[in-house]
Amino acid sequence: MSLVLDTSSGGGTLTPLRSVVHPSSAAKGEPIEDLARRLAQEGLRLGAIRLNPSNPFQWASGYRMPVYNDNRMFLFHPELRRLIARGLAELVEAHEIQPEVVAGTATAGIPHGALLADLLSLPFVYVRDKPKDHGLRNRIEGIGAEDDLRGLRVVVIEDLVSTGGSSAQAVQAVRDAGGICSWCLSIFSYGLEKAEEAFRALDPPCRHDALLTFPLLLEVARQGGWLTAEEIALLERWRQDPFGWGEAHGFPRVSAV
């Protein structure tokens, strides 16, 4: 579905037009798990996904975590951009989401959301983490400051879901702008319970799925010889208690200066 600005009544309103491309015809039909495995392999090879339980990374929160993900590295490679867009389109089809608008989260979700919108021939907007403090003070970019999403079905696209807080806020921002948002899709997710709690806390709750999940990543890392069995076990224990894992393994949280 596309939107046009209807000025026949003297004002500007967003009017939906029927899309000529259906998600099922836009995606290539390759099984989602095969796409996800290829993404995991390339992510590990490029260093976009790093696993290091012996010398964990410091997250912005100060916690030491054995995994780090930078999906922006995929943007350099056109074949991986296309793979991600196809994978997200397959998720849209598998869950029968039937979006009328794609919304990317600022900033890392913007390019992948836009590529998905192109693949599905759908309108695209992006969601700021907070409204601009100047100009028209928009939080949803792509529609006019006086417009809203007028009951259109919106799927939110994230690059990574960790604790889920910012993702849930983006969903709420879409709803506050008049959109109907029941789904958030991401390229990768750590699968933390805290993220599921954030989505469940919305009213109504929002559903989430990821192209690449943490268990599948560990399986690919094990099969590819990226990690030893002992390291895999450490990573599995991290997922069970991510915020207590560092302290328990000699990597205390680093306090903000």
Side-chain angles (χ1 to χ4, degrees):
M1 179 172 289
S2 300
L3 302 180
V4 295
L5 189 63
D6 181 3
T7 58
S8 60
S9 61
T13 60
L14 290 169
T15 303
L17 292 176
R18 187 178 301 277
S19 173
V20 297
V21 178
H22 190 272
S24 60
S25 63
K28 295 295 185 181
E30 186 174 356
I32 294 173
E33 184 171 323
D34 290 353
L35 292 168
R37 285 181 180 277
R38 288 171 52 198
L39 186 64
Q41 291 163 355
E42 290 301 315
L44 290 166
R45 184 182 67 83
L46 293 171
I49 303 172
R50 298 175 184 265
L51 302 169
N52 193 343
S54 62
N55 185 21
F57 308 94
Q58 181 181 326
W59 285 11
S61 60
Y63 286 101
R64 299 287 298 278
M65 302 292 198
V67 56
Y68 183 76
N69 174 226
D70 183 1
N71 288 322
R72 289 166 294 193
M73 294 182 67
F74 293 128
L75 294 173
F76 191 78
H77 304 276
E79 70 280 7
L80 296 181
R81 295 197 306 266
R82 290 191 290 268
L83 184 154
I84 290 168
R86 292 201 306 272
L88 292 171
E90 289 287 354
L91 286 177
V92 166
E93 177 69 8
H95 292 299
E96 299 181 343
I97 298 175
Q98 297 182 330
E100 297 169 296
V101 178
V102 176
T105 57
T107 57
I110 294 175
H112 299 291
L115 288 165
L116 175 64
D118 278 353
L119 187 61
L120 303 183
S121 292
L122 291 176
F124 176 74
V125 298
Y126 73 85
V127 187
R128 292 181 176 273
D129 58 350
K130 58 184 179 181
K132 289 191 297 187
D133 58 3
H134 60 280
L136 299 178
R137 304 182 184 276
N138 294 348
R139 184 165 186 189
I140 307 293
E141 297 285 10
I143 58 175
E146 293 78 23
D147 295 313
D148 62 25
L149 292 167
R150 301 183 183 278
L152 295 171
R153 295 186 302 274
V154 182
V155 61
V156 167
I157 302 299
E158 269 280 19
D159 78 315
L160 169 69
V161 170
S162 54
T163 60
S166 60
S167 306
Q169 290 173 14
V171 170
Q172 187 59 54
V174 167
R175 292 175 175 179
D176 291 343
I180 298 172
C181 186
S182 301
W183 278 94
C184 174
L185 301 178
S186 62
I187 300 171
F188 183 38
S189 170
Y190 298 136
L192 304 184
E193 178 60 27
K194 192 168 184 179
E196 295 306 313
E197 291 173 355
F199 287 118
R200 285 197 300 265
L202 293 169
D203 184 19
C206 179
R207 300 178 69 183
H208 165 255
D209 199 1
L211 175 56
L212 176 60
T213 63
F214 194 71
L216 182 58
L217 172 65
L218 291 190
E219 182 180 329
V220 171
R222 177 182 58 80
Q223 292 173 343
W226 293 92
L227 297 171
T228 65
E230 181 181 358
E231 289 172 325
I232 292 287
L234 282 170
L235 285 161
E236 289 173 338
R237 287 200 289 273
W238 167 76
R239 189 161 173 258
Q240 295 169 5
D241 182 19
F243 300 101
W245 181 91
E247 190 76 37
H249 291 83
F251 303 105
R253 183 181 184 184
V254 178
S255 301
V257 178

